[in-house]
Amino acid sequence: MTTRNISSAAVALSALLLAGCGNGEPPAYDLVIRGGTVFDGTGAQGRIADVAIVGDRIVEIGAIEGRGKRRIDAGGLYVAPGFIDMHSHSEVPRLQNGGQGPSFAYQGLTTEIYGETVSMGPVGGLRENNLPEELLGKWVTFGEYLDYQEATGSAINFGSYVGSGGIREVVMGYEDRDPTDDELEAMKNLVREAMREGALGISAGMSYVPNIYMSTGELAALVAESARLGGIFANHARTMNGTDPEAISEALEIGELADAPVHFFHLNSTSSTRADEFLSRIEAALDRGMQVTGDSYTYTWGITGLSAYIPAWAQEGGTLAMLERLRDPAERERIAEDFVTEPPYLANVGWDRVRLGVNDPEVNGKLVSEVATLRETAPEHAFMDVVLEQQGRGIVIDWNNEEDTLRQVLAKPYVAGGTDGSAIDLDAENLPPLIHPRHLGTVPRLLGTYVREEKLLRWEEAIRKLSGLPAEILSLKDRGTLQTGNFADIVVFDPEAIDGKATFTEPFQYAVGMRYVFVNGQAVIDEGAYTRALPGRALRGPAYTPQGQAD
């Protein structure tokens, strides 16, 4: 990871203090945040204190006598470590919008983690490249992608897992079969390369093609390569909407076989209304000494790709093969019958709880059941027609939980925050036709609704879930807590005002309540306004080997 050693920061700090003492004046700081209630991100209660910053580091916390070049009076406000999104999909929007993403800054997010199923690299081989035209050819390897985004500029720190689905696509394409020995070895090599290029671990979206075609053993073999280089196994389990608790057991088995810590994406939607059954398996693993964590967003409806609803067998061979099957009358009838009986079973929520987000004003924002009525056809056929018309592109927003079981997941101490969303710039020209409010309101909904209003969590517990816990899960050095020597990723917010304004019916609204957000010591939110600064950095994982150095 490209961070300066804490001892170097301490030496610099000592020199600064000695210089200040030598001329009889208090040491000068770049910034002093005074009189706020400081939460350090460890779960400890808040305390009134000052925080001083020099450059990109926190240099002092406590009762600070020295002056700064700038002073922020934080009386009545909360000061906390910058929040970390454990599950972001902002890769492409960031690159398309010059590194900007105000919707995340207004939530206090200073770091986001990518790569749920596939990662932005490696590309090539048999993998379909669905990137926007302006990004084609900009990188091939995982490391080249990190370098490219960092050079382009980012308002937020970012890191990524290497996606095992993308690895398989490069080597095997979209075939539903076991790999040969040579193919498995090629995939292992790609995992090792990505880890040395900065991956934080390896991910799998086991309800999605091509991960859905991979056996437990194949996944464990790839996860083991990452684990040997210090990576975690982050997974979207082989189920959704509480369908199969055995999927939790499978992911835990992969972790045990590979000797890897296991992290579950969006535990809220994975466990759904069967949270007791799902979480009890995780807690049994914790009791036997495994490292297991999860993340959750704060809504009872989720979002996924339009074509993800198509049965996995019908997606074999890639997008063009899927579309050809949807045109074939016999295959079409089989697909219609298999929506709820064959993996990934996503349609089992009911077509009256699946909303379409596509570039067609006639159907955009409508439930599939409504489109079926409009077109006087069965919902399965209405859905297949839309997939064909849109060439597989688009999203659905679908039901996945109820409030009681969502709260049950949010309250667990091993569950961190994760938007499962994308950073949105409401001034951009490339806004999608339909968005989920989690892009703009996940964190403030946690703090405003579940902490301030419902008191499901104490402030210090929720802040830990958003900062110290994610940094611990990912082994992020010098981040996630407010400590002397750490990077100055800091949020200052009004606990009485923090709130997510976005709703499902009116989603295009930024959150409120964030007064200041600092990324590496630079303000991206300043006095409540977005600055468009680009101080973010690539955060590379434990096996990172700079180019040109020996392994």
Side-chain angles (χ1 to χ4, degrees):
M1 186 176 298
T2 55
T3 61
R4 293 204 299 268
N5 190 282
I6 292 179
S7 61
S8 299
V11 169
L13 173 60
S14 298
L16 179 65
L17 292 173
L18 288 172
C21 293
N23 60 23
E25 296 180 359
Y29 306 105
D30 290 328
L31 170 66
V32 179
I33 303 169
R34 293 199 177 275
T37 301
V38 175
F39 293 85
D40 66 9
T42 66
Q45 291 183 353
R47 62 187 179 97
I48 303 297
D50 308 325
V51 179
I53 298 169
V54 173
D56 61 0
R57 297 275 183 166
I58 300 167
V59 296
E60 192 171 348
I61 301 173
I64 296 173
E65 296 182 0
R67 59 181 176 82
K69 296 176 184 176
R70 182 181 182 187
R71 169 186 173 133
I72 291 175
D73 291 317
L77 304 178
Y78 285 179
V79 182
F83 300 148
I84 299 170
D85 183 358
M86 285 291 293
H87 185 183
S88 171
H89 292 281
S90 297
E91 303 99 307
V92 171
R94 290 274 178 201
L95 290 173
Q96 288 183 308
N97 295 319
Q100 304 294 344
S103 72
F104 274 23
Y106 281 115
Q107 295 184 67
L109 291 163
T110 60
T111 297
E112 61 185 352
I113 307 302
Y114 308 142
E116 178 192 15
T117 302
V118 298
S119 46
M120 296 291 272
V123 295
L126 299 176
R127 179 177 174 180
E128 292 180 356
N129 196 332
N130 297 317
L131 289 171
E133 186 175 354
E134 65 268 25
L135 297 178
L136 294 177
K138 299 297 186 181
W139 65 84
V140 174
T141 69
F142 182 93
E144 288 170 350
Y145 156 67
L146 291 180
D147 293 342
Y148 180 81
Q149 180 152 333
E150 190 169 46
T152 301
S154 175
I156 197 168
N157 300 314
F158 60 93
S160 180
Y161 310 106
V162 60
S164 61
I167 293 284
R168 197 181 210 262
E169 290 171 355
V170 169
V171 175
M172 297 179 61
Y174 302 86
E175 295 187 37
D176 184 3
R177 62 173 176 82
D178 292 334
T180 65
D181 290 345
D182 287 345
E183 287 169 334
L184 184 60
E185 191 57 40
M187 288 190 281
K188 288 180 179 180
N189 286 335
L190 288 174
V191 172
R192 289 192 293 269
E193 288 174 11
M195 289 299 298
R196 293 191 175 102
E197 291 167 354
L200 297 166
I202 189 169
S203 66
M206 294 149 70
S207 292
Y208 296 126
V209 171
N211 277 142
I212 203 167
Y213 301 148
M214 299 173 74
S215 68
T216 302
E218 180 184 343
L219 281 163
L222 299 187
V223 173
E225 297 300 321
S226 167
R228 278 192 278 271
L229 293 169
I232 73 169
F233 172 46
N235 78 101
H236 167 134
R238 206 186 297 267
T239 189
M240 279 296 288
N241 310 322
T243 302
D244 183 13
E246 286 298 323
I248 295 293
S249 298
E250 181 196 19
L252 294 171
E253 180 185 357
I254 290 168
E256 288 182 306
L257 289 170
D259 195 23
V262 177
H263 180 79
F264 288 95
F265 292 122
H266 49 59
L267 260 178
N268 54 309
S269 58
T270 296
S271 60
S272 188
T273 56
R274 300 173 70 183
D276 281 335
E277 296 174 71
F278 280 70
L279 299 180
S280 64
R281 295 175 187 237
I282 290 173
E283 286 159 16
L286 288 168
D287 287 343
R288 62 178 184 265
M290 283 192 71
Q291 291 178 259
V292 189
T293 54
D295 60 59
S296 175
Y297 52 90
T298 51
Y299 298 90
T300 58
W301 286 57
I303 184 173
T304 195
L306 181 69
S307 60
Y309 262 62
I310 300 297
W313 66 263
Q315 296 183 57
E316 185 177 7
T319 301
L320 293 179
M322 175 193 73
L323 295 174
E324 190 59 36
R325 291 186 184 101
L326 289 171
R327 295 186 188 98
D328 183 284
E331 295 279 59
R332 189 179 172 92
E333 287 304 318
R334 182 184 169 194
I335 292 169
E337 293 173 359
D338 287 354
F339 269 117
V340 297
T341 60
E342 291 293 321
Y345 311 109
L346 297 183
N348 64 9
V349 301
W351 294 113
D352 59 343
R353 296 197 281 189
V354 180
R355 193 173 301 278
L356 296 164
V358 296
N359 285 310
D360 179 353
E362 180 191 41
V363 299
N364 181 56
K366 289 185 173 63
L367 299 168
V368 173
S369 57
E370 294 172 331
V371 176
T373 300
L374 183 70
R375 296 185 172 185
E376 298 181 343
T377 188
E380 293 82 5
H381 287 277
F383 184 82
M384 288 187 286
D385 288 340
V386 172
V387 175
L388 268 174
E389 292 160 9
Q390 300 297 315
Q391 296 293 291
R393 293 184 291 271
I395 64 161
V396 299
I397 292 177
D398 51 358
W399 174 93
N400 61 35
N401 210 340
E402 299 292 346
E403 278 290 337
D404 286 348
T405 37
L406 170 59
R407 291 186 187 95
Q408 190 175 348
V409 173
L410 291 173
K412 293 297 183 181
Y414 51 83
V415 175
T419 68
D420 196 5
S422 299
I424 297 292
D425 186 341
L426 295 182
D427 293 327
E429 296 180 356
N430 56 2
L431 281 174
L434 184 70
I435 65 172
H436 194 294
R438 71 190 187 192
H439 300 328
L440 301 103
T442 295
V443 172
R445 181 167 165 79
L446 176 68
L447 298 177
T449 299
Y450 296 107
V451 178
R452 183 183 64 237
E453 295 175 10
E454 297 189 6
K455 296 179 171 52
L456 176 69
L457 297 162
R458 296 190 302 273
W459 286 103
E460 60 266 27
E461 292 174 322
I463 289 169
R464 171 185 167 270
K465 286 172 171 287
L466 297 168
S467 55
L469 178 59
E472 179 184 336
I473 293 168
L474 296 168
S475 300
L476 298 181
K477 295 179 181 178
D478 303 350
R479 299 188 192 271
T481 56
L482 295 185
Q483 296 182 38
T484 299
N486 277 9
F487 285 101
D489 296 340
I490 300 173
V491 298
V492 181
F493 65 93
D494 184 342
E496 297 303 318
I498 190 80
D499 194 19
K501 307 299 286 186
T503 66
F504 285 100
T505 55
E506 296 185 24
F508 295 94
Q509 303 181 77
Y510 291 132
V512 296
M514 277 290 157
R515 297 287 187 84
Y516 302 90
V517 177
F518 296 94
V519 176
N520 298 310
Q522 296 186 47
V524 295
I525 299 289
D526 197 335
E527 296 183 355
Y530 187 64
T531 69
R532 307 194 77 80
L534 297 173
R537 300 172 184 172
L539 306 183
R540 296 174 173 87
Y544 173 61
T545 304
Q547 189 175 11
Q549 294 186 13
D551 290 351

